[in-house]
Amino acid sequence: MLLAQKKSDWFGNIRGDILSGLVVALALIPEAIAFSIVAGVDPKVGLYASFCIAVLTAFVGGRPGMISAATAAMALMMGDLVKDHGLQYLLAATVLTGILQIIAGYLRLDQLMRFVSRSVVTGFVNALAISIFLAQLPELIDVSWIVYVMVAAGLGIIYLFPLVNKVIPSPLVCILLLTAVSIGLGFDIRTVGDMGDLPDTLPVFLLPDVPLNFETLAIIFPVSVSLAVIGLLESLMTATIVDELTDTNSDKNRECKGQGVANIGAGFLGGMAGCAMIGQSVINVKSGGRGRLSTFVAGMVLLILVVFLSDWVAQIPMAALVAVMIMVSIGTFNWASIKNLKHYPLSTNLVMLTTVVIVIWKHNLAFGVFAGVLLAAVFFANKISHFMYIESDLDEKESKRTYRVNGQVFFSSATKFTASFDFKEAVKEVEIDLSRAHFWDITAVEALDKAVLKFRREGADVNVVGLTEASLTIVDRFGQHDKPEDIEKVLGGH
């Protein structure tokens, strides 16, 4: 069974995986070079990283078909470290990032993804699509009219070619045709070669040349923690998106460890830290890639192209790659989310829009996602608190008031819980029925303590009945209304 699964992961879609891997390899080149520049290192650092991370995650990753390599989100976190301490410290930080990600995998931190709501994922996807498009603008400003024609022609090929042939990926056709036209007609436009020198040797194993002491650890540890968090966050969210695109499930715990192994390998081969790339993963899936072979082919072809065919790769016009990335941006954006603004609750829309705005504003995916998760949690707590209500009836003959609590009692609904009681009502007996309520935290238990003690202070006999087993556990442990020695502590200051 396990062997059959592995065979399916690797060889279940050979033609589609090879063709899509070719497309992804071509699209990885300009991005790896651009991200190297963002990090302040030589282009070969990003290219080596992309090769190493893509190939290793093909074997050890938890999401077949997902492309991992050098990314913008990670590169943005490296600039200061490289500027202040140099490349060798970045390589050491990359290795430490991998170690931290493997530890995160063994601690099952992938489970935290369940706190990321659908609206946050939508915001993340839309922000990424906008970021991909904005990243293409420098290639479209102050350029020759030929570039605009090439980009328009490229988009035409990408969207129209599938009408006549769905076997060959249209982005690959776009790159090959536009490169041929550019070379044949001798266009004077920017090419991949204009973005930096391409490596001419294979990567070699090396140990980062840094002192092995606590001073080095103090320098690289904060950066490595940030890289590990952002890398896992983007990788797990990308895995979720690929899951949805392919209607399959991924092993996110394995992905955590796989990203760690890949980054350790990248650090020892002279590469920068990286993670999953949603844009390239979308290209891979939309080009027919589904299995591990597509990721492996992308990494290996990337290395072959930049090392052995660099003279040809250098002639690929940037306009062709811009057209591909615009297609990715359009395909990545969740257009239905705009239509859904009219139908979804305001809180859902605010979470999605907040995630988008924070990501675009801060240029940091982690900040946007954290803001979205925090806002979603606040809205959720507020909604749940509204479902807590208390009914009551009075038995005048017995001078007894019965309160029946319904819903969830926790920090957000505790004030409403307390305000629902009439402590000044002159009754001999008060019964608080909690059979339809659930107490979640210390704030809720404290609110119950104060309610009981306030009634008793007014001279009423109070009975708390119907506690569920789960509520009884926390009330018994932390409640004080039946502990005479703690009564003054509860009512202190009131």
Side-chain angles (χ1 to χ4, degrees), residues 313-399:
V313 173
Q315 298 185 64
I316 296 175
M318 287 302 299
L321 299 175
V322 168
V324 173
M325 296 310 295
I326 290 177
M327 178 273 290
V328 173
S329 174
I330 294 172
T332 302
F333 195 90
N334 187 338
W335 297 98
S337 64
I338 296 178
K339 181 180 179 181
N340 291 335
L341 288 173
K342 296 180 180 178
H343 308 294
Y344 282 1
L346 178 61
S347 58
T348 300
N349 293 332
L350 286 176
V351 170
M352 188 272 285
L353 293 173
T354 298
T355 304
V356 172
V357 170
I358 296 296
V359 170
I360 301 300
W361 176 35
K362 303 300 290 185
H363 302 289
N364 190 309
L365 289 168
F367 286 173
V369 172
F370 285 145
V373 170
L374 181 62
L375 193 59
V378 171
F379 284 137
F380 175 76
N382 184 56
K383 285 180 181 177
I384 293 298
S385 67
H386 286 316
F387 290 105
M388 197 285 298
Y389 63 96
I390 298 179
E391 301 169 309
S392 72
D393 55 58
L394 176 64
D395 185 342
E396 295 183 359
K397 184 178 179 180
E398 298 293 334
S399 186

Coordinates of all heavy atoms in Angstrom, one line a residue, residues 313-399:
V313 N 19.3 30.7 -21.7 CA 18.4 31.2 -20.7 C 18.5 32.7 -20.6 O 17.4 33.4 -20.4 CB 18.6 30.6 -19.3 CG1 17.8 31.2 -18.3 CG2 18.3 29.1 -19.4
A314 N 19.7 33.3 -20.7 CA 19.9 34.7 -20.6 C 19.1 35.5 -21.6 O 18.9 36.7 -21.5 CB 21.4 35.0 -20.6
Q315 N 18.8 34.8 -22.7 CA 18.1 35.6 -23.8 C 16.6 35.5 -23.7 O 15.9 36.1 -24.6 CB 18.5 35.0 -25.2 CG 20.0 35.1 -25.4 CD 20.4 34.6 -26.8 OE1 20.0 35.1 -27.9 NE2 21.2 33.5 -26.9
I316 N 16.0 34.9 -22.7 CA 14.6 34.9 -22.5 C 14.1 36.3 -22.2 O 14.6 36.9 -21.2 CB 14.1 33.9 -21.4 CG1 14.5 32.5 -21.8 CG2 12.6 34.1 -21.1 CD1 14.2 31.5 -20.7
P317 N 13.2 36.9 -23.0 CA 12.8 38.3 -22.7 C 12.0 38.3 -21.4 O 11.1 37.4 -21.1 CB 11.9 38.6 -23.9 CG 11.5 37.3 -24.4 CD 12.5 36.3 -24.2
M318 N 12.2 39.3 -20.6 CA 11.5 39.5 -19.3 C 10.0 39.6 -19.6 O 9.1 39.3 -18.8 CB 12.0 40.7 -18.5 CG 13.4 40.4 -17.9 SD 13.4 39.0 -16.8 CE 12.2 39.5 -15.6
A319 N 9.7 40.2 -20.8 CA 8.2 40.4 -21.2 C 7.5 39.1 -21.1 O 6.3 39.0 -20.7 CB 8.1 41.1 -22.5
A320 N 8.2 38.0 -21.6 CA 7.5 36.7 -21.6 C 7.2 36.2 -20.2 O 6.1 35.7 -19.9 CB 8.4 35.7 -22.3
L321 N 8.2 36.4 -19.3 CA 8.0 36.0 -17.9 C 7.0 36.9 -17.2 O 6.2 36.4 -16.3 CB 9.3 36.0 -17.2 CG 10.4 35.0 -17.8 CD1 11.7 35.2 -17.1 CD2 9.9 33.6 -17.7
V322 N 7.0 38.2 -17.6 CA 6.0 39.1 -17.0 C 4.5 38.6 -17.4 O 3.6 38.6 -16.5 CB 6.2 40.5 -17.5 CG1 5.0 41.4 -17.1 CG2 7.5 41.1 -16.8
A323 N 4.4 38.2 -18.6 CA 3.1 37.7 -19.1 C 2.7 36.5 -18.2 O 1.5 36.3 -17.8 CB 3.1 37.4 -20.5
V324 N 3.6 35.6 -18.0 CA 3.3 34.4 -17.2 C 2.9 34.8 -15.8 O 2.0 34.2 -15.2 CB 4.6 33.4 -17.2 CG1 4.3 32.3 -16.2 CG2 4.8 32.9 -18.6
M325 N 3.7 35.7 -15.2 CA 3.4 36.1 -13.8 C 2.1 36.8 -13.7 O 1.4 36.7 -12.7 CB 4.5 36.9 -13.2 CG 5.9 36.2 -13.1 SD 5.7 34.6 -12.3 CE 5.2 35.0 -10.7
I326 N 1.7 37.6 -14.7 CA 0.4 38.3 -14.7 C -0.7 37.2 -14.8 O -1.7 37.3 -14.1 CB 0.3 39.3 -15.9 CG1 1.2 40.5 -15.7 CG2 -1.2 39.7 -16.1 CD1 1.2 41.5 -16.8
M327 N -0.5 36.2 -15.6 CA -1.5 35.1 -15.6 C -1.6 34.4 -14.3 O -2.7 34.1 -13.8 CB -1.0 34.0 -16.7 CG -1.9 32.8 -16.8 SD -1.5 31.5 -15.6 CE 0.1 30.9 -16.3
V328 N -0.4 34.3 -13.6 CA -0.5 33.7 -12.2 C -1.2 34.6 -11.3 O -2.0 34.1 -10.5 CB 1.0 33.5 -11.7 CG1 1.0 33.0 -10.3 CG2 1.7 32.4 -12.6
S329 N -1.0 35.9 -11.4 CA -1.7 36.8 -10.5 C -3.2 36.8 -10.7 O -3.9 36.7 -9.7 CB -1.1 38.3 -10.8 OG -1.9 39.2 -10.1
I330 N -3.6 36.8 -12.0 CA -5.0 36.7 -12.3 C -5.6 35.4 -11.8 O -6.7 35.3 -11.2 CB -5.2 36.9 -13.8 CG1 -4.8 38.3 -14.2 CG2 -6.7 36.6 -14.2 CD1 -4.8 38.5 -15.8
G331 N -4.9 34.3 -12.0 CA -5.4 33.0 -11.6 C -5.4 32.8 -10.1 O -6.1 32.0 -9.5
T332 N -4.5 33.5 -9.4 CA -4.4 33.3 -8.0 C -5.5 34.1 -7.2 O -6.0 33.7 -6.2 CB -3.0 33.8 -7.5 OG1 -2.0 33.1 -8.1 CG2 -2.9 33.7 -6.0
F333 N -5.8 35.3 -7.7 CA -6.8 36.2 -7.0 C -8.1 35.5 -7.0 O -8.6 34.9 -8.0 CB -6.9 37.5 -7.8 CG -7.6 38.5 -7.0 CD1 -6.9 39.4 -6.2 CD2 -9.0 38.7 -7.0 CE1 -7.5 40.4 -5.4 CE2 -9.6 39.6 -6.3 CZ -8.9 40.5 -5.5
N334 N -8.7 35.5 -5.8 CA -10.0 34.9 -5.6 C -11.1 35.9 -6.0 O -11.6 36.7 -5.2 CB -10.2 34.5 -4.1 CG -11.5 33.7 -3.9 OD1 -12.5 33.8 -4.7 ND2 -11.5 32.9 -2.8
W335 N -11.5 35.9 -7.3 CA -12.4 36.9 -7.8 C -13.8 36.8 -7.2 O -14.5 37.8 -7.1 CB -12.5 36.8 -9.3 CG -11.2 37.1 -10.0 CD1 -10.3 36.2 -10.4 CD2 -10.6 38.4 -10.2 NE1 -9.1 36.8 -11.0 CE2 -9.3 38.2 -10.9 CE3 -11.0 39.7 -10.0 CZ2 -8.5 39.2 -11.2 CZ3 -10.2 40.7 -10.4 CH2 -9.0 40.5 -11.0
A336 N -14.1 35.6 -6.8 CA -15.5 35.4 -6.1 C -15.6 36.2 -4.8 O -16.7 36.5 -4.4 CB -15.7 33.9 -5.9
S337 N -14.4 36.5 -4.2 CA -14.4 37.2 -3.0 C -15.0 38.6 -3.1 O -15.5 39.1 -2.2 CB -13.0 37.2 -2.3 OG -12.1 38.0 -3.2
I338 N -14.8 39.2 -4.3 CA -15.3 40.5 -4.5 C -16.9 40.5 -4.6 O -17.6 41.3 -4.0 CB -14.8 41.1 -5.8 CG1 -13.2 41.3 -5.7 CG2 -15.4 42.5 -6.1 CD1 -12.6 41.9 -6.9
K339 N -17.4 39.5 -5.3 CA -18.8 39.3 -5.4 C -19.4 39.0 -4.0 O -20.5 39.4 -3.7 CB -19.1 38.2 -6.4 CG -20.6 37.9 -6.6 CD -20.8 36.8 -7.7 CE -22.3 36.5 -7.8 NZ -22.4 35.4 -8.8
N340 N -18.6 38.2 -3.3 CA -19.2 37.8 -2.0 C -19.2 38.9 -0.9 O -19.8 38.7 0.1 CB -18.3 36.6 -1.4 CG -18.5 35.3 -2.3 OD1 -19.5 35.1 -2.9 ND2 -17.5 34.5 -2.3
L341 N -18.5 40.0 -1.2 CA -18.6 41.1 -0.3 C -20.0 41.5 0.0 O -20.3 42.0 1.1 CB -17.8 42.3 -0.8 CG -16.3 42.2 -0.9 CD1 -15.6 43.3 -1.6 CD2 -15.7 42.0 0.6
K342 N -20.9 41.4 -1.0 CA -22.3 41.8 -0.8 C -23.1 40.8 0.0 O -24.1 41.1 0.6 CB -23.0 41.9 -2.2 CG -22.4 43.0 -3.1 CD -23.1 43.1 -4.4 CE -22.6 44.1 -5.3 NZ -23.3 44.2 -6.6
H343 N -22.6 39.5 0.1 CA -23.4 38.5 0.7 C -22.8 38.0 2.1 O -23.6 37.6 2.9 CB -23.5 37.3 -0.2 CG -23.9 37.6 -1.6 ND1 -25.2 38.1 -1.9 CD2 -23.3 37.6 -2.8 CE1 -25.3 38.3 -3.2 NE2 -24.2 38.0 -3.8
Y344 N -21.5 38.1 2.2 CA -20.9 37.6 3.5 C -21.1 38.6 4.6 O -21.3 39.8 4.4 CB -19.4 37.4 3.3 CG -19.1 36.1 2.5 CD1 -20.1 35.3 2.1 CD2 -17.8 35.7 2.3 CE1 -19.8 34.1 1.4 CE2 -17.5 34.6 1.6 CZ -18.5 33.8 1.1 OH -18.2 32.6 0.5
P345 N -21.0 38.2 5.8 CA -21.2 39.1 7.0 C -20.0 40.1 7.0 O -18.9 39.8 6.5 CB -21.0 38.1 8.2 CG -21.4 36.8 7.7 CD -21.0 36.7 6.2
L346 N -20.3 41.3 7.6 CA -19.3 42.3 7.6 C -18.1 41.9 8.3 O -17.0 42.2 7.8 CB -19.9 43.6 8.4 CG -19.0 44.8 8.5 CD1 -18.6 45.3 7.2 CD2 -19.7 45.8 9.4
S347 N -18.2 41.1 9.3 CA -17.0 40.7 10.1 C -16.1 39.8 9.2 O -14.8 40.0 9.2 CB -17.4 39.9 11.3 OG -18.2 38.8 11.0
T348 N -16.7 38.9 8.4 CA -15.9 38.1 7.5 C -15.2 39.0 6.4 O -14.0 38.7 6.1 CB -16.8 37.1 6.7 OG1 -17.5 36.3 7.7 CG2 -16.0 36.2 5.8
N349 N -15.9 40.0 5.9 CA -15.2 40.8 4.9 C -14.1 41.6 5.5 O -13.0 41.8 4.9 CB -16.3 41.8 4.3 CG -17.3 41.0 3.5 OD1 -17.0 40.0 2.9 ND2 -18.5 41.6 3.4
L350 N -14.3 42.1 6.8 CA -13.3 42.9 7.4 C -12.0 42.1 7.7 O -10.9 42.6 7.6 CB -13.8 43.5 8.8 CG -14.8 44.6 8.6 CD1 -15.3 45.0 10.0 CD2 -14.1 45.8 8.0
V351 N -12.2 40.8 8.0 CA -11.0 39.9 8.3 C -10.2 39.8 7.0 O -9.0 39.9 6.9 CB -11.5 38.6 8.8 CG1 -10.3 37.6 8.8 CG2 -12.0 38.7 10.2
M352 N -11.0 39.5 5.9 CA -10.3 39.3 4.6 C -9.6 40.6 4.1 O -8.4 40.6 3.8 CB -11.3 38.9 3.5 CG -10.8 38.5 2.2 SD -10.5 39.8 1.1 CE -12.2 40.1 0.6
L353 N -10.3 41.7 4.2 CA -9.7 43.0 3.8 C -8.5 43.4 4.7 O -7.5 44.0 4.2 CB -10.8 44.1 3.7 CG -11.9 43.9 2.7 CD1 -13.0 44.9 2.9 CD2 -11.3 44.0 1.3
T354 N -8.6 43.2 6.0 CA -7.5 43.5 6.9 C -6.3 42.7 6.5 O -5.2 43.3 6.5 CB -8.0 43.2 8.3 OG1 -9.1 44.1 8.7 CG2 -6.8 43.5 9.3
T355 N -6.5 41.5 6.3 CA -5.3 40.6 5.9 C -4.7 41.2 4.6 O -3.4 41.3 4.6 CB -5.8 39.2 5.7 OG1 -6.5 38.7 6.8 CG2 -4.6 38.3 5.4
V356 N -5.5 41.5 3.6 CA -4.9 42.1 2.4 C -4.2 43.4 2.6 O -3.0 43.5 2.2 CB -6.1 42.3 1.4 CG1 -5.5 43.0 0.1 CG2 -6.7 41.0 0.9
V357 N -4.8 44.3 3.4 CA -4.2 45.6 3.6 C -2.9 45.5 4.4 O -1.9 46.1 4.0 CB -5.2 46.5 4.3 CG1 -4.5 47.8 4.8 CG2 -6.4 46.8 3.4
I358 N -2.9 44.7 5.4 CA -1.7 44.6 6.2 C -0.5 43.9 5.4 O 0.6 44.4 5.5 CB -1.9 43.7 7.5 CG1 -3.0 44.4 8.4 CG2 -0.6 43.5 8.3 CD1 -2.5 45.7 9.0
V359 N -0.8 42.9 4.6 CA 0.2 42.3 3.8 C 0.8 43.3 2.8 O 2.0 43.4 2.7 CB -0.3 41.1 3.1 CG1 0.7 40.6 2.1 CG2 -0.7 39.9 4.1
I360 N -0.1 44.0 2.1 CA 0.4 44.9 1.1 C 1.2 46.1 1.8 O 2.2 46.6 1.3 CB -0.8 45.5 0.3 CG1 -1.5 44.4 -0.4 CG2 -0.3 46.5 -0.7 CD1 -0.7 43.6 -1.4
W361 N 0.6 46.5 2.9 CA 1.2 47.7 3.6 C 2.6 47.4 4.2 O 3.6 48.1 4.0 CB 0.3 48.2 4.7 CG 0.8 49.3 5.6 CD1 1.6 50.3 5.2 CD2 0.6 49.5 6.9 NE1 1.9 51.1 6.2 CE2 1.3 50.7 7.3 CE3 -0.2 48.8 7.9 CZ2 1.3 51.2 8.6 CZ3 -0.2 49.3 9.2 CH2 0.5 50.5 9.5
K362 N 2.7 46.2 4.9 CA 3.9 45.9 5.6 C 4.8 45.0 4.8 O 6.0 44.7 5.2 CB 3.6 45.1 6.9 CG 2.7 45.9 7.9 CD 3.3 47.2 8.3 CE 4.5 47.0 9.2 NZ 5.0 48.3 9.8
H363 N 4.4 44.6 3.6 CA 5.2 43.7 2.8 C 5.6 42.4 3.5 O 6.7 41.9 3.4 CB 6.4 44.4 2.2 CG 6.1 45.6 1.4 ND1 5.5 45.6 0.2 CD2 6.2 46.9 1.7 CE1 5.3 46.8 -0.3 NE2 5.8 47.6 0.6
N364 N 4.7 41.9 4.4 CA 5.0 40.8 5.2 C 3.8 39.9 5.4 O 2.8 40.3 6.0 CB 5.5 41.3 6.6 CG 6.1 40.1 7.4 OD1 5.5 39.1 7.6 ND2 7.3 40.3 7.9
L365 N 3.8 38.7 4.8 CA 2.7 37.8 4.8 C 2.3 37.4 6.3 O 1.1 37.3 6.6 CB 3.0 36.6 4.0 CG 3.0 36.8 2.5 CD1 3.6 35.5 1.9 CD2 1.7 37.1 2.0
A366 N 3.3 37.3 7.1 CA 3.1 36.8 8.5 C 2.3 37.9 9.2 O 1.3 37.5 10.0 CB 4.4 36.6 9.2
F367 N 2.6 39.2 9.1 CA 1.9 40.2 9.8 C 0.4 40.2 9.4 O -0.5 40.4 10.2 CB 2.5 41.6 9.5 CG 3.8 41.8 10.2 CD1 4.6 43.0 9.9 CD2 4.3 40.9 11.1 CE1 5.8 43.2 10.5 CE2 5.5 41.2 11.8 CZ 6.3 42.3 11.5
G368 N 0.2 40.1 8.1 CA -1.2 40.1 7.6 C -2.0 38.9 8.1 O -3.1 39.1 8.6
V369 N -1.4 37.8 8.1 CA -2.1 36.6 8.6 C -2.3 36.7 10.1 O -3.4 36.4 10.6 CB -1.3 35.3 8.3 CG1 -1.9 34.1 8.9 CG2 -1.3 35.1 6.8
F370 N -1.3 37.1 10.9 CA -1.5 37.3 12.3 C -2.7 38.3 12.6 O -3.5 38.0 13.5 CB -0.2 37.7 13.0 CG 0.8 36.6 13.1 CD1 2.1 36.9 13.0 CD2 0.4 35.3 13.3 CE1 3.1 35.9 13.1 CE2 1.3 34.3 13.4 CZ 2.7 34.6 13.3
A371 N -2.7 39.4 11.9 CA -3.7 40.4 12.1 C -5.1 39.8 11.7 O -6.1 40.0 12.5 CB -3.4 41.6 11.2
G372 N -5.2 39.0 10.6 CA -6.4 38.4 10.3 C -6.9 37.4 11.3 O -8.1 37.4 11.6
V373 N -6.0 36.6 11.8 CA -6.4 35.5 12.8 C -6.8 36.2 14.1 O -7.8 35.8 14.7 CB -5.2 34.6 13.1 CG1 -5.4 33.7 14.3 CG2 -4.9 33.8 11.8
L374 N -6.1 37.3 14.5 CA -6.5 38.0 15.7 C -7.9 38.6 15.6 O -8.7 38.5 16.5 CB -5.4 39.0 16.0 CG -5.7 39.9 17.3 CD1 -5.6 39.0 18.5 CD2 -4.6 40.9 17.4
L375 N -8.1 39.3 14.4 CA -9.4 39.9 14.2 C -10.5 38.9 14.1 O -11.6 39.1 14.7 CB -9.3 40.7 12.9 CG -10.5 41.7 12.7 CD1 -10.5 42.7 13.9 CD2 -10.3 42.5 11.4
A376 N -10.2 37.8 13.5 CA -11.2 36.7 13.4 C -11.6 36.1 14.7 O -12.7 35.8 15.0 CB -10.7 35.6 12.4
A377 N -10.6 36.0 15.6 CA -10.8 35.5 17.0 C -11.7 36.5 17.8 O -12.6 36.0 18.5 CB -9.5 35.3 17.7
V378 N -11.4 37.8 17.6 CA -12.2 38.8 18.3 C -13.6 38.7 17.9 O -14.6 38.7 18.7 CB -11.6 40.2 18.1 CG1 -12.5 41.2 18.6 CG2 -10.2 40.3 18.8
F379 N -13.9 38.7 16.6 CA -15.2 38.6 16.0 C -15.9 37.3 16.5 O -17.1 37.3 16.8 CB -15.2 38.7 14.5 CG -15.0 40.1 14.0 CD1 -14.1 40.3 12.9 CD2 -15.6 41.2 14.5 CE1 -13.9 41.5 12.4 CE2 -15.4 42.4 14.0 CZ -14.5 42.6 13.0
F380 N -15.2 36.2 16.5 CA -15.8 34.9 16.9 C -16.2 35.0 18.3 O -17.3 34.6 18.7 CB -14.8 33.8 16.7 CG -15.3 32.5 17.2 CD1 -16.2 31.8 16.4 CD2 -14.8 31.9 18.4 CE1 -16.7 30.5 16.9 CE2 -15.3 30.7 18.8 CZ -16.2 30.0 18.1
A381 N -15.3 35.5 19.2 CA -15.7 35.6 20.6 C -16.9 36.5 20.8 O -17.8 36.2 21.7 CB -14.5 36.1 21.4
N382 N -16.9 37.6 20.1 CA -18.1 38.5 20.2 C -19.4 37.8 19.8 O -20.4 38.0 20.4 CB -17.8 39.8 19.4 CG -18.9 40.8 19.5 OD1 -19.2 41.2 20.6 ND2 -19.5 41.2 18.4
K383 N -19.3 37.1 18.7 CA -20.5 36.4 18.2 C -21.0 35.4 19.2 O -22.2 35.3 19.5 CB -20.2 35.7 16.9 CG -20.2 36.7 15.7 CD -19.9 35.9 14.4 CE -19.8 36.9 13.2 NZ -19.4 36.2 12.0
I384 N -20.1 34.6 19.7 CA -20.5 33.5 20.7 C -21.1 34.1 21.9 O -22.0 33.6 22.5 CB -19.3 32.6 21.0 CG1 -18.8 31.9 19.8 CG2 -19.6 31.7 22.1 CD1 -19.8 30.9 19.2
S385 N -20.5 35.3 22.3 CA -21.0 35.9 23.6 C -22.5 36.3 23.4 O -23.3 36.3 24.4 CB -20.2 37.1 24.0 OG -20.3 38.1 23.0
H386 N -22.9 36.6 22.2 CA -24.3 37.1 22.0 C -25.3 35.9 22.1 O -26.5 36.2 22.3 CB -24.4 37.6 20.5 CG -23.8 39.0 20.4 ND1 -24.0 40.0 21.3 CD2 -23.0 39.5 19.4 CE1 -23.3 41.1 21.0 NE2 -22.7 40.8 19.8
F387 N -24.8 34.7 22.0 CA -25.7 33.5 22.2 C -25.9 33.1 23.6 O -26.6 32.2 23.9 CB -25.2 32.4 21.3 CG -25.3 32.6 19.8 CD1 -24.2 32.9 19.1 CD2 -26.5 32.5 19.2 CE1 -24.3 33.1 17.7 CE2 -26.6 32.7 17.8 CZ -25.5 33.0 17.1
M388 N -25.2 33.8 24.5 CA -25.4 33.5 26.0 C -26.6 34.4 26.5 O -26.6 35.6 26.3 CB -24.1 33.9 26.7 CG -24.1 33.2 28.1 SD -25.1 34.0 29.3 CE -24.4 35.7 29.4
Y389 N -27.6 33.8 27.0 CA -28.7 34.5 27.6 C -29.2 33.8 28.8 O -29.0 32.6 29.0 CB -29.8 34.7 26.6 CG -30.5 33.5 26.1 CD1 -31.6 33.0 26.7 CD2 -29.9 32.7 25.1 CE1 -32.2 31.8 26.3 CE2 -30.5 31.5 24.6 CZ -31.7 31.1 25.2 OH -32.2 29.9 24.8
I390 N -29.9 34.6 29.7 CA -30.4 34.0 30.9 C -31.9 34.3 31.0 O -32.4 35.4 30.9 CB -29.7 34.6 32.1 CG1 -28.2 34.3 32.1 CG2 -30.3 34.1 33.5 CD1 -27.4 34.9 33.2
E391 N -32.7 33.2 31.3 CA -34.1 33.3 31.5 C -34.4 33.2 33.0 O -33.6 32.5 33.7 CB -34.9 32.2 30.8 CG -34.6 32.2 29.3 CD -35.2 30.9 28.6 OE1 -34.8 29.8 29.1 OE2 -35.9 31.0 27.7
S392 N -35.5 33.7 33.5 CA -35.8 33.6 34.9 C -37.3 33.6 35.1 O -38.0 34.1 34.3 CB -35.1 34.7 35.7 OG -35.8 35.9 35.5
D393 N -37.7 33.0 36.2 CA -39.1 33.1 36.6 C -39.2 33.1 38.1 O -38.3 32.6 38.8 CB -39.9 31.9 36.0 CG -39.3 30.6 36.4 OD1 -39.2 30.3 37.6 OD2 -39.0 29.8 35.5
L394 N -40.3 33.7 38.6 CA -40.4 33.9 40.0 C -41.6 33.0 40.6 O -42.7 33.1 40.0 CB -40.7 35.4 40.3 CG -41.0 35.7 41.8 CD1 -39.7 35.5 42.6 CD2 -41.4 37.2 41.8
D395 N -41.3 32.3 41.6 CA -42.3 31.6 42.4 C -42.7 32.4 43.6 O -42.0 32.4 44.6 CB -41.8 30.2 42.8 CG -42.9 29.4 43.5 OD1 -43.9 29.9 43.9 OD2 -42.7 28.1 43.6
E396 N -43.7 33.3 43.4 CA -44.0 34.2 44.5 C -44.4 33.5 45.8 O -44.1 34.0 46.9 CB -45.2 35.1 44.0 CG -44.8 36.0 42.8 CD -45.9 37.0 42.4 OE1 -47.0 36.9 43.1 OE2 -45.7 37.8 41.5
K397 N -45.1 32.4 45.6 CA -45.5 31.7 46.8 C -44.4 31.2 47.7 O -44.4 31.3 48.9 CB -46.4 30.5 46.4 CG -47.0 29.7 47.6 CD -47.8 28.6 47.0 CE -48.4 27.8 48.2 NZ -49.3 26.6 47.7
E398 N -43.3 30.7 47.0 CA -42.1 30.3 47.7 C -41.1 31.3 47.8 O -40.0 31.1 48.5 CB -41.5 29.1 47.0 CG -42.4 27.8 46.8 CD -42.7 27.2 48.2 OE1 -41.8 27.3 49.1 OE2 -43.7 26.5 48.3
S399 N -41.3 32.5 47.2 CA -40.3 33.6 47.2 C -39.0 33.1 46.7 O -37.9 33.3 47.2 CB -40.1 34.2 48.6 OG -39.3 35.3 48.5

